[in-house]
Amino acid sequence: MADEKKDSTPFLKNGTSPIVTKTPLPMGPPLSSKAGRGKAFRQVMASFVANLGTINTGMAFGFSATSLPQLKSPDSTIPITDNEASWIASLSAAGTPVGCILSGYLMDTIGRRLTLIITEVPLILGWLLIASAQNIPMIYIGRLLIGFGSGMVGAPARVYTCEVSQPHLRGMLGALASVGVSTGVLIQYVIGSITSWNILAGISASIPILSLLTMLFLPETPNYLLSHDNKEKAEKALTKLRGSTCDLEGEIDKMIAFKEKNHVEPLKSPREIIKALMSPSALKPFTILAVYFFIYQWSGVNTITFYAVDVFVASGAQFDKFYLTISLGIIRVIFTVVGCVLCRRCGRRPLTFVSALGCGSTMLILSVYMYFVHYWKQNDIIPMHSWIPVASIFIFIICCTMGYLIIPWVMIGEVYPTQVRGIVGGLTTCAAHLSVFSVVKTFTYLNEALYDYGTFALYGSMSLVGTIFFYLFLPETKGRTLQEIEDYFCGRTKSLKKNNISDTA
């Protein structure tokens, strides 16, 4: 029991013992009640602007789907091989981990807002470099810069959103990043089908430029300002984010009480940072989310996103490949929005199970059909029932967007301690994009070793097996404040379940 108690002790600066008491936080109108709510429009607009940069992440994913067929065509101005195509597709994910780690450090050092502004610079440079590319190395470098910037924007956008929104809006607004990613994919599919790859890259540069300019008008998050003892600035920021309808003083007092109760202070030395990262309150949720991202990436979602046109051709679908790709992008956007609404109503666990079971079963169906396509081609038989692979891929995307593409990204901004929310959030997005790189880069090799049907069978099996992990370890954070979630992972509370939840998040 002694060891168990020691493991649950949260990291506190300078070895200060935690004050674990039954003393309630300052009372006031509950933040989850209508009397304590701020203006939703202000929180929605702040979150929308913060997540504009995430559209670029989807554009980085979708760029290769329409551009690679153009680059591999006989009349391409820059001809590429299959190996070079795999590098163009995966290099954005290779540059992402570095950006994730850097933005995590910057978030806790210079703030969430300024980090979001800085992230747009490599994105602008990367797209312009590809637009003006005269050779393959220029495309490679551009893709690396885009991946680097995409890695930088992921965690700050989600942390900023979760810190400026109240519990009843946090789940829905936290999912805006996933809507941004899906929108970016659709933009690339639509514009890429009617224009050349270099013009597409030039148009893509407009998104990070717009994001940079609009971020200049947003305030820093009150949580970050309070963690750096700037109460006056925190009050001004909260006023801008909530308006006059909210009990501003009560919300600030609760944040300060939590900070003082748990000795939440900025970490300065590397030793303090490492000790905080290794504490159960950071290590436990990091492990859960890192495994979550690995499972969902190896369900095959980004293989289809990056290689959408090629996958439709290989599946034996007898429809126009670009029409199918655009339709896929539209469905992804629509059901990502649906997922945002469901995230507020249904919670994190149920939507995750929908994705795990739905993605796993549809991938296995696609795998079986592709096996028959392989057999039919060998025996010169005309493929039959070509609607099956199309339906499988579309249902796969629907299931994926409602859980996998939303839930872990929302939880990045929810489950980590205030002191290291930036750093460990960056490390989590780093782990996520390493999983993206691993699955996208190995796709062509797996196809050679297992054939396409074997590859998709592997993806389906991974998703189904992952259901066991989610059932055992994934917590439900719907309706809980950031302080309640932190208390749970620190061991100060046994469970996040409550019987008096009147609002959802």
Side-chain angles (χ1 to χ4, degrees), residues 92-132:
S92 63
T96 301
V98 181
C100 294
I101 295 172
L102 178 61
S103 70
Y105 172 78
L106 291 176
M107 262 197 290
D108 291 333
T109 305
I110 63 176
R112 284 57 159 144
R113 172 181 171 271
L114 188 54
T115 301
L116 280 169
I117 293 173
I118 293 174
T119 61
E120 308 306 329
V121 177
L123 294 173
I124 295 170
L125 294 176
W127 285 120
L128 293 179
L129 188 61
I130 293 176
S132 59

Side-chain angles (χ1 to χ4, degrees), residues 98-322:
V98 181
C100 294
I101 295 172
L102 178 61
S103 70
Y105 172 78
L106 291 176
M107 262 197 290
D108 291 333
T109 305
I110 63 176
R112 284 57 159 144
R113 172 181 171 271
L114 188 54
T115 301
L116 280 169
I117 293 173
I118 293 174
T119 61
E120 308 306 329
V121 177
L123 294 173
I124 295 170
L125 294 176
W127 285 120
L128 293 179
L129 188 61
I130 293 176
S132 59
Q134 301 298 313
N135 50 54
I136 295 174
M138 291 181 70
I139 299 177
Y140 283 171
I141 296 172
R143 290 288 284 173
L144 279 170
L145 285 172
I146 292 168
F148 177 72
S150 297
M152 288 189 70
V153 76
R158 293 167 174 91
V159 170
Y160 185 95
T161 300
C162 288
E163 289 189 352
V164 302
S165 55
Q166 293 176 297
H168 69 286
L169 292 172
R170 195 180 66 237
M172 182 174 64
L173 296 182
L176 279 177
S178 299
V179 177
V181 174
S182 295
T183 302
V185 171
L186 177 59
I187 289 172
Q188 298 298 75
Y189 287 174
V190 173
I191 300 178
S193 65
I194 60 177
T195 189
S196 63
W197 59 270
N198 51 345
I199 294 177
L200 175 62
I203 295 173
S204 300
S206 62
I207 296 297
I209 292 173
L210 177 63
S211 179
L212 188 152
L213 294 176
T214 52
M215 275 302 304
L216 297 174
F217 298 97
L218 291 186
E220 182 55 82
T221 71
N223 298 67
Y224 175 81
L225 293 170
L226 282 176
S227 70
H228 286 70
D229 298 318
N230 291 324
K231 182 181 178 182
E232 184 177 346
K233 289 184 178 180
E235 290 174 341
K236 290 180 180 179
L238 196 63
T239 301
K240 290 182 180 179
L241 294 164
R242 298 287 188 267
S244 58
T245 62
C246 181
D247 178 23
L248 300 174
E249 185 177 347
E251 187 168 351
I252 284 288
D253 287 345
K254 287 188 177 184
M255 291 181 186
I256 292 174
F258 182 84
K259 173 180 179 293
E260 292 177 348
K261 174 184 175 182
N262 299 295
H263 302 282
V264 178
E265 298 178 23
L267 305 176
K268 297 179 181 179
S269 70
R271 183 175 178 274
E272 288 178 347
I273 293 173
I274 293 173
K275 188 175 181 181
L277 291 175
M278 296 305 295
S279 67
S281 59
L283 198 58
K284 288 179 181 178
F286 172 78
T287 303
I288 291 172
L289 287 186
V291 175
Y292 193 132
F293 277 114
F294 181 82
I295 293 171
Y296 116 60
Q297 286 301 332
W298 276 88
S299 72
V301 58
N302 275 317
T303 296
I304 291 178
T305 302
F306 279 68
Y307 297 100
V309 175
D310 293 337
V311 169
F312 278 120
V313 172
S315 70
Q318 302 296 306
F319 304 97
D320 181 82
K321 57 188 178 182
F322 288 106

Side-chain angles (χ1 to χ4, degrees), residues 37-51 54 157-158 160-181 333-348 351 401-402 405-407 409-411 413-414 476-480 482 503-505:
R37 292 179 182 177
K39 292 183 178 179
F41 179 76
R42 296 194 179 197
Q43 298 175 60
V44 170
M45 287 306 299
S47 301
F48 175 78
V49 171
N51 284 283
T54 62
R158 293 167 174 91
Y160 185 95
T161 300
C162 288
E163 289 189 352
V164 302
S165 55
Q166 293 176 297
H168 69 286
L169 292 172
R170 195 180 66 237
M172 182 174 64
L173 296 182
L176 279 177
S178 299
V179 177
V181 174
V333 171
I334 292 173
F335 280 91
T336 303
V337 175
V338 172
C340 288
V341 177
L342 291 177
C343 187
R344 184 182 180 189
R345 296 182 178 275
C346 301
R348 290 28 165 179
L351 293 179
T401 52
M402 290 195 296
L405 292 180
I406 295 176
I407 301 305
W409 297 109
V410 169
M411 294 183 73
E414 292 182 327
E476 181 56 76
T477 58
K478 178 176 71 74
R480 306 275 58 86
L482 299 181
D503 287 299
T504 53

Side-chain angles (χ1 to χ4, degrees), residues 462-480:
M462 180 67 74
S463 187
L464 291 177
V465 172
T467 307
I468 301 172
F469 172 83
F470 298 134
Y471 180 80
L472 294 175
F473 299 107
L474 187 68
E476 181 56 76
T477 58
K478 178 176 71 74
R480 306 275 58 86

